[in-house]
Amino acid sequence: MGCSWIGVAVSLCFAVFSVAVAVSGQTLAMPPPLPTAVGVLSLAGMALLWRDISSKVKGDKRTLGSLLSQYVAVKAVGWLGRRQRKKLEADTLMVKQVQEETLLKRLRKNADTFYGRKYDFRSIEDAAGFRARHPITTYGDYREFIERVAAGEEKVIIAEKPLILAMTSGTSGPSAMLLSTKDTNTDFFLQGVTVCLEAMRQAFPESNSLQRTTKFFYTPTFRQSEAGIPIGPNSSTPASSRHILNLYTTPAPAFEVPSEKDTLYLHLLFALKDPSVGTLESNFASTVFYAFTALQERWQELVEDVERGTISSSLTLEPKVRSRLEALMKPDAERAAQLRAHFHEGFGGIAKRLWPHLNLVLAVDSGSNQIYGEMLREHYCRGVPFYSPFYAATEGLIGVNLWPQEPDRRYLLCPRSMFCEFLPESSLDEETPQTLLMEEVKEGESYELVITNASGLFRYRIGDIVKVTGFHNQCPIVEFQYRRGQMLNVRGEKVSEALFLGALKNAVAQWPGAQLVDYSCAESGILGDSIGGSDPHYQVFIELKGVRNLTEEQRYKLDICLQKDSAVYKSFRIKGSIGSMRVQLVSEGAFKELQRKMMAYTSTSANTFKMHRVLRRKEYAEFLLGKTVS
């Protein structure tokens, strides 16, 4: 294809030249050489551009405009990514200076706010002065100020009006409402997105193609504050991505569908139609995992729609939306036959069979999403590389993963995104703990992050515990360990999410035929008398595939595995201070139902939801108790 387009370009050059030289046998004056040269070079440039486009893997039935817009977007982001990576590398060589510049920039910008005047930000000259004057804070220190912003008061804590009032996922307590600003979003894109896409391109060169991506994301529901400020999740949404929706397999009308279940069906339908999908993407691996479980349940219905060129009548769609979607569907018996054959082979490694050119799954699979990433790699997405690009939160960008091919998820802290301080793990419960700075932390030690960001949080404890695994030049590299609010602690034993998950995986490996789907725990105290027994213990709710029941001996394996991994837990068990954990098997789909319940309560969306591994609300634990089947 590339050669034929070069031939056309050359032919056009000769045609233009011939017309310029002779018309009806009359000899004309030669045109000025510069415009002719520019024209020839322009055509040659177009030919070279098209040859580059033609050499890349791309989807079938793509328009020239669609390919060109994607090509330009890829090139532009690639240029930005290389530029930002160079800046990041330079910053890691002078971390102390860059961190202080970042801090002073935040303080100067917000010096004339009510909060800035309270702490006299304008007179602060360095990090030491800031830390001496401003106390360490938690969400309770900001609630009143944020309520004033929501009511319409200006310059309370930040100089500008926030873009949205962002709701946190509520994994470590009630969902909090934070401010999100233009600076937060700009930092995330420039320091996060572009840098990670460049790292991805280098690690996975085949991803540098013109294939479409299937991105599992949904249109969240926003409400308005008293002052008309949108309240909702601070994440990538179809609306914020409206200019690049043509890069995705899902057409724009699908995002007008309010039902997450129906939108997911449409995601799957249009992805199945395109055998050349290059990337599966979502904020979190859990969203990709549940997409595949839905595919396993509804594949026959989906294949029928591909075959007939229809949209299932089971979907609740507005007539206009249905009409626009159906206009994009054409009967495709050949593709339907291919799909049926793939599904009849089973769902192990199904992703690579459905999409032979699939290069990557792009989603965060660390922290509470670790088990979903593992299940995808072991089953549905066997043989497909995964890249967990960011370490980020509602508070903003924290770190980037510059090592996509490594199995351990390590993140380089971004020194220009936030001013970071670190509370040693051993001092978390002290009344006035002392923090360390980036250049003071030690490899192998764990710390709680304390951040000062671009959206009105100053020396704020975000509740994340990270382990410093090394340094890139002077900048710390961290692994996420756990959330403070997601720690099991009935007698002071402090069992983290990572520790418990390790024990659970070891136990499941000893249950023949069992495959872990999801889990949550509750401390017995929140359930009170409803479960009986006086010794404090853990209630463990597990959804499994492959088994319907467990013997008491098998259930006890989990307790034994945790005792092996935690000497403190074991000592409490031997003394009888903690009772044996109680393992409850819940029905299929119970955690998906719990997710919907949690999302409704916390006002979060499917784009930002993270399953709570330790349940802090009695009604959540009682809901799972009601779903117990064994």
Side-chain angles (χ1 to χ4, degrees), residues 88 99 191 397-400 412-418 438 475:
L88 177 60
Q99 277 280 274
Q191 299 182 44
L397 176 70
I398 301 171
V400 289
L412 178 71
L413 295 179
C414 297
R416 284 200 189 274
S417 179
M418 298 179 177
M438 274 195 187
C475 196

Side-chain angles (χ1 to χ4, degrees), residues 1-16 39-40 43-44 46-48 50:
M1 183 180 286
C3 291
S4 65
W5 272 86
I6 292 173
V8 169
V10 172
S11 299
L12 283 169
C13 290
F14 279 111
V16 170
V40 171
L43 287 168
M46 289 173 61
L48 290 172
W50 184 252

Side-chain angles (χ1 to χ4, degrees), residues 386-463:
F386 277 63
Y387 178 32
S388 181
F390 312 117
Y391 173 24
T394 306
E395 293 84 354
L397 176 70
I398 301 171
V400 289
N401 180 0
L402 300 182
W403 307 274
Q405 293 173 306
E406 291 190 8
D408 295 329
R409 302 318 190 199
R410 304 185 301 143
Y411 303 93
L412 178 71
L413 295 179
C414 297
R416 284 200 189 274
S417 179
M418 298 179 177
F419 176 71
C420 293
E421 299 174 67
F422 303 81
L423 283 173
E425 191 176 27
S426 58
S427 67
L428 297 183
D429 296 325
E430 294 179 7
E431 282 191 21
T432 56
Q434 297 300 305
T435 61
L436 301 175
L437 299 180
M438 274 195 187
E439 67 273 16
E440 297 172 330
V441 296
K442 295 181 179 178
E443 184 174 347
E445 297 294 318
S446 293
Y447 306 88
E448 180 182 355
L449 280 173
V450 177
I451 59 100
T452 296
N453 71 359
S455 50
L457 297 175
F458 303 93
R459 304 198 77 199
Y460 178 72
R461 297 178 70 162
I462 65 173

Side-chain angles (χ1 to χ4, degrees), residues 421-567:
E421 299 174 67
F422 303 81
L423 283 173
E425 191 176 27
S426 58
S427 67
L428 297 183
D429 296 325
E430 294 179 7
E431 282 191 21
T432 56
Q434 297 300 305
T435 61
L436 301 175
L437 299 180
M438 274 195 187
E439 67 273 16
E440 297 172 330
V441 296
K442 295 181 179 178
E443 184 174 347
E445 297 294 318
S446 293
Y447 306 88
E448 180 182 355
L449 280 173
V450 177
I451 59 100
T452 296
N453 71 359
S455 50
L457 297 175
F458 303 93
R459 304 198 77 199
Y460 178 72
R461 297 178 70 162
I462 65 173
D464 284 6
I465 310 300
V466 299
K467 181 178 181 179
V468 177
T469 62
F471 292 84
H472 181 70
N473 296 323
Q474 300 172 8
C475 196
I477 301 165
V478 302
E479 281 183 359
F480 176 86
Q481 297 295 292
Y482 61 91
R483 295 277 293 161
R484 285 196 73 197
Q486 292 287 281
M487 184 179 283
L488 290 163
N489 189 24
V490 297
R491 288 288 195 193
E493 71 282 8
K494 296 182 180 177
V495 173
S496 70
E497 178 183 327
L499 186 62
F500 186 87
L501 177 58
L504 178 58
K505 289 194 293 185
N506 289 336
V508 172
Q510 299 175 57
W511 299 338
Q515 179 187 346
L516 180 63
V517 175
D518 224 327
Y519 82 96
S520 279
C521 306
E523 296 166 356
S524 56
I526 73 163
L527 286 163
D529 297 334
S530 61
I531 55 172
S534 56
D535 291 335
H537 60 274
Y538 306 156
Q539 286 281 336
V540 184
F541 303 99
I542 304 176
E543 185 176 332
L544 296 174
K545 276 186 179 179
V547 298
R548 295 186 177 182
N549 196 7
L550 293 174
T551 65
E552 287 305 314
E553 182 181 358
Q554 286 175 318
R555 293 170 201 256
Y556 190 60
K557 291 277 189 187
L558 177 54
D559 201 284
I560 294 298
C561 287
L562 186 56
Q563 289 186 48
K564 286 181 179 177
D565 292 346
S566 172

Side-chain angles (χ1 to χ4, degrees), residues 3 32 38 95 100 114 134 202 217 236 282 294 347 390 393 403 409 442 471 488 531 606:
C3 291
V38 169
V95 162
E100 194 151 283
F114 173 85
H134 196 290
Q202 291 183 8
F217 65 156
S236 172
S282 191
F347 278 80
F390 312 117
W403 307 274
R409 302 318 190 199
K442 295 181 179 178
F471 292 84
L488 290 163
I531 55 172

Side-chain angles (χ1 to χ4, degrees), residues 329-342:
M329 296 292 295
K330 292 182 180 179
D332 194 341
E334 182 181 355
R335 178 61 176 161
Q338 293 171 356
L339 294 171
R340 280 197 184 93
H342 294 320

Side-chain angles (χ1 to χ4, degrees), residues 40-190:
V40 171
L41 289 172
S42 297
L43 287 168
M46 289 173 61
L48 290 172
L49 181 146
W50 184 252
R51 184 171 66 176
D52 191 23
I53 290 175
S54 302
S55 69
K56 298 181 183 297
V57 177
K58 51 192 171 296
D60 297 331
K61 303 170 185 175
R62 297 286 302 277
T63 64
L64 177 59
S66 172
L67 287 172
L68 279 173
S69 64
Q70 183 171 355
Y71 181 85
V72 170
V74 167
K75 290 295 184 183
V77 172
W79 177 81
L80 272 175
R82 290 186 291 276
R83 183 169 175 265
Q84 289 298 131
R85 177 64 185 270
K86 285 181 181 178
K87 283 187 176 182
L88 177 60
E89 290 292 335
D91 287 346
T92 64
L93 293 168
M94 46 183 184
V95 162
K96 183 176 181 180
Q97 176 185 331
V98 170
Q99 277 280 274
E100 194 151 283
E101 287 173 3
T102 301
L103 171 65
L104 294 177
K105 178 182 176 183
R106 307 296 185 222
L107 299 182
R108 297 290 179 267
K109 183 165 186 177
N110 298 304
D112 290 330
T113 63
F114 173 85
Y115 195 87
R117 291 192 296 273
K118 177 181 177 181
Y119 287 101
D120 195 11
F121 282 174
R122 193 171 294 284
S123 70
I124 294 174
E125 297 180 352
D126 54 30
F130 173 64
R131 294 162 76 200
R133 182 175 304 174
H134 196 290
I136 293 174
T137 60
T138 61
Y139 183 67
D141 296 301
Y142 298 94
R143 185 178 287 108
E144 178 192 340
F145 298 120
I146 292 173
E147 287 173 355
R148 287 164 60 181
V149 174
E153 189 175 342
E154 296 183 355
K155 294 193 174 182
V156 178
I157 197 166
I158 57 173
E160 74 267 48
K161 184 177 179 179
L163 297 177
I164 65 169
L165 299 170
M167 301 301 298
T168 67
S169 58
T171 50
S172 58
S175 185
M177 187 164 66
L178 301 175
L179 308 179
S180 180
T181 65
K182 182 180 178 182
D183 284 349
T184 310
N185 290 357
T186 301
D187 287 345
F188 187 86
F189 176 73
L190 290 178

